[in-house]
Amino acid sequence: MNEQQTGAMRYVGTRPPRPDGADKVSGRALFGADVSLPGMVWGAVLRSPHAHARILGIDAGAALRMPGVLAVVTAEDFLASPEGEAAGGEAQVSLADLSRNVLAREKVLYHGHAVAAVAATTQRLARAALDAIRVEYQPLGAVLDLDSAMAPDASLVHEEMLTQGAEPAATQPSNIASRMAMQKGDVEQGFAEAEVVLERTYSCSMVHQGYIEPHACLATANADGQVDLWCCTQGQFAVRANVAALLGMDEADVRVIPTEIGGGFGGKTTVYLEPVAVALARKCGRPVKMQMSREEVFRATGPASATRVWVKIGARRDGTLTAMDARLEYEAGAFKGSPAIPGAMTVFASYDVAHQRVEAFDVVVNKPKVAAYRAPGAPQAILASECLINELATELGIDPLELRLRNAADEGTCTIYGAPFQAIGLRECLRRAQAHPHYSAPLAPNQGRGVAIGFWFNVGLQSSASVNLTENGKVLLEEGNPDIGGSRASLALMAAETLGVPYENVRPAVMDTASIGYSDLTGGSRTTYATGYAVIEACRDLIGKLVARAAQIWEVEPARINWRDGAAWHPEKGGEKLGIGELARLGERTGGPLSGQGAVNLQGAAPGFAVNIADVEVDPETGRSRVTRFTAIQDAGRAIHPDFVEGQMQGGAAQGIGWALNEAFCFDRNGVLENPGFLDYRMPVASDLPMIDTVIVEVPHPGHPLGVRGVGETPICAPMAAVVTALNAAAGIRLTEVPLTPSRVLEAILARG
């Protein structure tokens, strides 16, 4: 259901076919593994059998003597300690750490950690050559969870790492990489004013983004030092920067060509194979193709953090929240840089409460380095705060949506991280939830209902775009953000709206790093917002040139000419106009080709809010649960293409449901992942889910020409809390550790008696 007010918009808010749809359903679209070149050879990666071990030596002599083996690379082929932060992604990592994650140097830090790579004439030979590489390890003790990692006598993942932000300053090495604290008001005073105080601890397992397409790339290195790299990525410019930094190359010598991408959700914002493929290609002088198996994807790429979040909330009996306090502990994997800070920013952001405090810890463990996963850090934090708000509503005898309305953030509310909100749609989402038929529908036996607010702050950053006119007036739209959520269609709609031309006359294309200006990666719900802004600027630039050409033809001042409906209108002859096609055909006579350029660096973005309603049914005999009804309500600012907004909302709901009920990485005591495949890693399928109803709320963002807010992150933030609350209500239990598997649920039911 799309409830929108588009005003005078002609194209924005419509639902045209996606420009890449036919290629994708017909198989013509080129994904990472589809790229091939003449003379191509294959690369393969040797991975550690230990979760934690010192590397005493690597002997690749036997592998190099095998016929058809062309090259071997190790960490020695990379810069040991490149300076600075890696480009791209909300889960930050230093370049030095990124280098050691791509290929281990002094130690292996998780099972599956890359140690060496080979290039050979066939895939089979490349894999066989891995067995000929001899690596001498000294096994070390591994820390595999927050408790063991934070223990005073814990085995150290990094022997020299001191806790940043510790109070007092740390003097002894620790697995706690950093501590961060934020506060507003006086929390102790707030709890003293409370008449009811509740506290609870919630835990989440490490989970994977579950993208369908494994990582793949192909690299060539020319004799002049130029490198071409094809890969499935969320940010070709980030890949360029990271490859160049790790290999000591000039960025101008690296061209990255993004292929179509079969899902990412944040997991394809960093590099794994790409620098290795380039290093192998430079060594052997042949194009090198690499692709991960599904098992490698699970064992050696970046999942979402396992977490433990303690929350304490105080309130008066009338429902006024007086204080909120939280302690967040996030696993970073083998290298520092978990999304603990985004978690801290989002945990209480939905509430206008004077007294708040958050403390967050980034903890390294012997597991794969985490990567971004759709609103990284927020779902785990919001699970804790929203479940406790629901529990508080029950304690106070107040409807849970009403309790939220009494305390909801609004325009002007200052967040704990210091940024006041502009116009936001949280209250409108809550009211829509109250009025929705789902909220008042009767529940059957063994069913429960839960609600939750989702929040993501969204980002802007840098984007570039260009528009070029063909001689018949078609618009070639070029931009630098891989399309993982229908952005080509949305950007084309914004171009059509701005220029006043039909949508079908706009041809959008994602360009390589040598063909468009710099753009930050596709992530953080920034593409429609920031790249859309750049598209609008490019179209405005083009309109200015078209108006100037028309003024030249009519011999009038450009300021006197109007541009509307895809044409320049004569200031005095109301019926006379020059359409965009005619101006394009006259380009040679009036000054040459017509194009427009847009570039932005947006430092702020409009936050997104959502409200979810979930119904869950539990079988008391088996503990099996299923979501029977789900409604997602979200403020999109303005829904440029409602189909894609609804798709984002439904996709986030599905992922959140899976996180709540099924999904978890399962490691044995040696740090070996026991479920590295979709048969054992239990993602929800269509039969597991109800039809997910959507309600689009539109409160336009005043800082964007078309009112856009990012919509991709927010949908995953609330489902876990809504589902967990509903399940606990259905079963009459109180579980706080997800996933709520049938065995956990049944055990709690039996314990309840």
Side-chain angles (χ1 to χ4, degrees), residues 391-408:
E391 191 175 334
L392 184 64
T394 301
E395 178 71 21
L396 297 173
I398 300 174
D399 176 84
L401 290 178
E402 177 61 30
L403 178 61
R404 289 170 167 85
L405 270 169
R406 295 182 190 181
N407 297 278

Side-chain angles (χ1 to χ4, degrees), residues 304-317:
S305 296
T307 60
R308 181 167 56 204
V309 179
W310 168 85
V311 177
K312 180 179 179 182
I313 301 176
R316 299 191 183 98
R317 287 287 177 187

Side-chain angles (χ1 to χ4, degrees), residues 4 6 117 185 219 222 338 369 395 397 442 510 517 530 535 539 553 601-602 607 627 642 665 674 709 750:
Q4 61 173 349
T6 58
N222 301 328
S338 74
K369 169 72 179 80
E395 178 71 21
V510 180
V535 168
C539 291
I553 294 169
N601 184 13
L602 305 180
V627 178
F665 270 12
E674 295 184 302
R709 302 179 191 273
L750 295 174

Side-chain angles (χ1 to χ4, degrees), residues 69 125 480 616 627 678 700 705 752:
V69 175
L125 180 56
V616 174
V627 178
F678 286 139
R752 180 200 65 193

